[in-house]
Amino acid sequence: MTSTHPTAQTLDIIKLNVRLANGRRLLRDVSLTLKPGEVRALVGESGAGKSMIGKAVLGILPNNLDISEGEIILEGAHLNAMTPSTRRKTVAKMSSLIPQDPLTALNPVRKIGPQITDPLIRIHGWSADRAMKRARDLLDRVHIRAPERVMASYPHELSGGMRQRILIAAAFAPSPRLIVADEPTTALDVTVQKQILKLIRELQRETGTAVLFVTHDMGVVAKISQQVTVLFAGRVMEDAPTQQVFEAPSHPYTQALIKATPTLNAVTKSFSPVPAELIAELHSDIAKIDAAYDAGDRA
Amino acid sequence: MTHPIQPAISDVPALFSIRNLHLSFPDRAHKPLLGPAPRIEVLKGISLDIPKGQITGIVGESGSGKSTFGRILVRLLDPDSGQVLFDGQDIGSLNETELRPLRRDLQMIFQDPMSSLNPRHKVSRIITQPMKRYGRGGTRADAIAALGKVGLPPEFAERYPHELSGGQRQRVGIARAIALEPRFILADEIVSGLDVSSQAQVLTLLGDLARDMGLTIAFISHDLSVIQYLCDNVVVLHHGVIVDQGPVQTVFDAPQSNITKSLLAAIPTPEIDEDWWAETESF
């Protein structure tokens, strides 16, 4: 049923292409690996396909997209070779999502408690008692005072920062091998963002969970990740250790993204948008690559 | 935590002089069965001068009262008490009829361009409608000229908001505001929904326009790193009180309040720095 892959990686994506029904590619030969316990940032501008990679792994892309081309290997399991139901179960057991918008991600008419414990019971087969205890511990761990009261509350009774902490607790509760964090701090203000990042980092280190961290903010990349994949128009521009990316970015697009990020360092104070000429140049490169790809496709 | 009030943050003449401004909202969640709801004080006695021809940053966390304060400046909200002197005239107590001649002078750029641009109107109409309303022209050529100022080509006049990217929509919002040649613009979190590159474009554009046109702008943000690039002065709000203010570089180099320090420490700068994690406030 499931072919296994002799690998020590948590996640291995090999030449993944995502296409619209008309054949247009949204992801172009994306490859990346994620080691156990590692945080890899996926960074790029709106439309670069960074969220799409996370969604492709979790199998939550819209049905009209074709993701048959390329391999996604999660803990040795070849996801693309599986039947949809096996794939769903495998992914649910091994991974969690921390979504961007904490308001829409929680069911407004259910209490917080069951929203955390349900997956533990249904997917992971835990007893209700064990799931309740775990939920309480995790809420405590994300600094929620009075976890009992919060578990009996509805989402609208809680602040945005609190809801995001609840979603983090829920994501870490089953100790998954992989967490996809899809811009988890974009909706928050800077001080809360820092607290949330710190929580993710601590829990991730404690549990050894690997994290695919989607963000558009090079500042967040510098703080949270060990590895970086820089994306532009669904194509990997640079894949390198975070340290290297900030000390010596090799791709001009990476350099431009860093320059577009505000810094507080008064000495190197410079701040400029990604140059339009660079964008045009990258688009024309991609058009050439697509033309060659389409020609190969027909052959 | 309260600091002595120093209304003069700059030696440039003030366009706005705000004195001892108070505002409270009814707390409906705690309303008793009978009688009025208790009130939550949002602004607790703010005194501030906003210098003419400069960009003043207003910073604070969620709930600090920064947007509420901004909305009083453009008189979308009425203060409970205190003075709001706009060029010497107290606009805090004017009624809607008396305010009408001033409306054109007080413009606003909104956080979410999708909900602040009419989805059924083309960009040209979005820009020219207020111009016609205030008798400031409103021809197609005017729309194209306004688009030109924000770096958008003439063909954008024929587009609808949904056909634009987030950064382009925000430029249309700026074009609509500056086309009226207002004396004051309130920009409320206008880049927080944009990715870094669009953010850099919009900020650079706003900075250039402000310089070229001598605009007076109040720029509300929760992100001090953005303020540093754009603003001349900065005011830090916390729970409805001013905790820090002055020229941007002074406040950044020597923050007076712990609130300012923690806002500065929370900025994820694009540098590898393990020490960044050291000072994180707990929940």
Side-chain angles (χ1 to χ4, degrees):
Chain A
M1 175 194 75
T2 310
S3 50
T4 48
H5 193 261
T7 172
Q9 316 288 8
T10 295
L11 179 69
D12 209 345
I13 299 178
I14 304 161
K15 292 214 157 203
L16 178 69
N17 284 286
V18 168
R19 295 203 276 179
L20 288 168
N22 64 14
R24 217 190 110 206
R25 287 198 295 174
L26 303 178
L27 289 183
R28 299 172 159 91
D29 289 328
V30 170
S31 298
L32 59 86
T33 60
L34 191 60
K35 293 195 187 74
E38 188 175 71
V39 179
R40 175 178 288 274
L42 296 178
V43 67
E45 294 172 79
S46 315
K50 51 195 193 300
S51 287
M52 190 166 274
I53 295 173
K55 288 180 177 166
V57 174
L58 299 176
I60 53 174
L61 282 177
N63 285 332
N64 62 345
L65 297 179
D66 171 17
I67 61 160
S68 57
E69 224 177 308
E71 292 262 24
I72 303 174
I73 306 162
L74 177 60
E75 289 283 311
H78 287 247
L79 298 184
N80 282 3
M82 293 177 172
T83 62
S85 99
T86 322
R87 186 193 204 281
R88 205 158 49 233
K89 282 176 198 151
T90 309
V91 170
K93 280 216 158 167
M94 288 196 275
S95 62
S96 304
L97 169 73
I98 304 175
Q100 173 172 1
D101 182 354
L103 190 53
T104 52
L106 287 164
N107 184 339
V109 298
R110 290 199 78 200
K111 289 180 178 166
I112 297 295
Q115 298 201 48
I116 303 176
T117 55
D118 263 7
L120 299 176
I121 298 166
R122 292 203 195 161
I123 295 165
H124 300 274
W126 293 16
S127 71
D129 281 353
R130 184 180 171 203
M132 282 291 278
K133 185 177 179 308
R134 179 70 173 159
R136 220 174 302 136
D137 289 351
L138 254 301
L139 288 179
D140 193 50
R141 189 61 196 74
V142 297
H143 306 287
I144 284 186
R145 290 173 209 104
E148 302 285 352
R149 189 176 54 77
V150 168
M151 284 168 75
S153 307
Y154 289 97
H156 75 265
E157 299 175 88
L158 310 167
S159 72
M162 235 169 149
R163 285 191 289 244
Q164 193 56 285
R165 280 184 276 158
I166 288 164
L167 288 166
I168 290 168
F172 278 100
S175 306
R177 302 304 304 150
L178 168 72
I179 283 183
V180 176
D182 191 358
E183 307 227 25
T185 59
T186 306
L188 306 171
D189 72 26
V190 279
T191 36
V192 181
Q193 161 168 282
K194 186 173 185 184
Q195 294 165 334
I196 295 286
L197 290 176
K198 191 173 188 200
L199 268 184
I200 294 177
R201 185 173 113 119
E202 284 171 0
L203 283 167
Q204 178 268 331
R205 291 187 165 187
E206 279 167 32
T207 55
T209 302
V211 177
L212 210 49
F213 198 104
V214 177
T215 178
H216 67 257
D217 187 340
M218 284 305 265
V220 172
V221 173
K223 304 308 181 199
I224 196 90
S225 69
Q226 292 94 49
Q227 296 284 327
V228 188
T229 301
V230 181
L231 291 153
F232 178 82
R235 207 177 149 74
V236 175
M237 297 285 114
E238 182 158 0
D239 176 343
T242 307
Q243 183 117 19
Q244 189 184 319
V245 162
F246 286 92
E247 279 166 9
S250 69
H251 198 282
Y253 182 66
T254 314
Q255 295 163 3
L257 270 189
I258 295 174
K259 278 203 81 174
T261 310
T263 149
L264 288 175
N265 189 336
V267 184
T268 59
K269 188 168 161 177
S270 61
F271 179 47
S272 52
V274 177
E277 308 82 63
L278 176 61
I279 303 264
E281 197 181 309
L282 293 174
H283 275 304
S284 97
D285 288 352
I286 282 171
K288 280 179 213 149
I289 292 165
D290 276 357
Y293 174 88
D294 289 341
D297 221 28
R298 279 191 295 275
Chain B
M1 198 67 92
T2 328
H3 288 263
I5 293 162
Q6 318 143 310
I9 55 177
S10 154
D11 35 16
V12 176
L15 180 66
F16 268 108
S17 295
I18 292 103
R19 292 294 175 272
N20 204 19
L21 187 68
H22 284 266
L23 181 79
S24 60
F25 289 127
D27 181 4
R28 306 225 182 267
H30 294 101
K31 186 190 179 308
L33 187 59
L34 297 170
R39 298 189 74 86
I40 303 172
E41 257 202 291
V42 183
L43 301 176
K44 304 166 186 165
I46 289 189
S47 298
L48 170 70
D49 282 354
I50 295 181
K52 204 176 269 186
Q54 295 196 345
I55 308 184
T56 302
I58 301 172
V59 216
E61 297 170 46
S62 311
S64 60
K66 55 189 192 298
S67 285
T68 305
F69 176 65
R71 275 161 197 259
I72 290 179
L73 295 179
V74 292
R75 273 304 307 273
L76 291 176
L77 285 172
D78 308 336
D80 291 351
S81 65
Q83 271 190 326
V84 185
L85 295 178
F86 174 69
D87 211 11
Q89 181 186 11
D90 188 355
I91 63 164
S93 51
L94 297 184
N95 64 31
E96 197 49 54
T97 323
E98 294 164 329
L99 273 171
R100 199 156 297 152
L102 285 168
R103 285 292 182 205
R104 181 183 64 84
D105 284 330
L106 307 170
Q107 287 301 310
M108 180 162 178
I109 309 166
F110 298 85
Q111 172 168 9
D112 177 8
M114 203 57 213
S115 60
S116 57
L117 303 177
N118 190 328
R120 294 166 204 280
H121 288 185
K122 288 182 181 167
V123 165
S124 60
R125 187 160 167 203
I126 288 170
I127 295 173
T128 55
Q129 206 168 36
M131 297 176 83
K132 288 178 187 157
R133 164 72 180 71
Y134 293 111
R136 310 284 299 185
T139 61
R140 219 186 107 77
D142 290 333
I144 288 168
L147 285 174
K149 281 191 181 156
V150 297
L152 292 177
E155 54 269 27
F156 274 66
E158 295 308 313
R159 298 205 183 158
Y160 287 95
H162 73 264
E163 298 175 283
L164 311 177
S165 71
Q168 289 164 347
R169 274 180 217 139
Q170 211 49 293
R171 284 163 189 254
V172 172
I174 295 173
R176 172 172 61 183
I178 61 166
L180 294 171
E181 296 172 341
R183 294 164 70 194
F184 174 72
I185 293 179
L186 173 69
D188 190 355
E189 297 271 15
I190 60 166
V191 293
S192 51
L194 304 177
D195 65 29
V196 276
S197 190
S198 319
Q199 171 177 298
Q201 284 174 5
V202 168
L203 291 176
T204 314
L205 170 73
L206 195 62
D208 292 347
L209 284 172
R211 212 177 14 260
D212 297 348
M213 302 174 66
L215 297 171
T216 307
I217 299 177
F219 184 89
I220 298 176
S221 177
H222 65 259
D223 188 347
L224 273 170
S225 62
V226 162
I227 298 266
Q228 185 195 21
Y229 285 97
L230 187 66
C231 300
D232 304 295
N233 313 293
V234 61
V235 178
V236 183
L237 285 183
H238 183 65
H239 292 331
V241 174
I242 294 178
V243 292
D244 223 335
Q245 62 175 315
V248 160
Q249 213 48 55
T250 313
V251 172
F252 274 65
D253 291 345
Q256 296 299 305
S257 153
N258 287 334
I259 305 294
T260 318
K261 286 176 195 159
S262 81
L263 282 170
L264 284 169
I267 297 168
T269 48
E271 295 136 351
I272 306 280
D273 177 14
E274 269 297 310
D275 295 342
W276 187 73
W277 296 101
E279 326 119 46
T280 310
E281 282 177 81
S282 50
F283 289 97

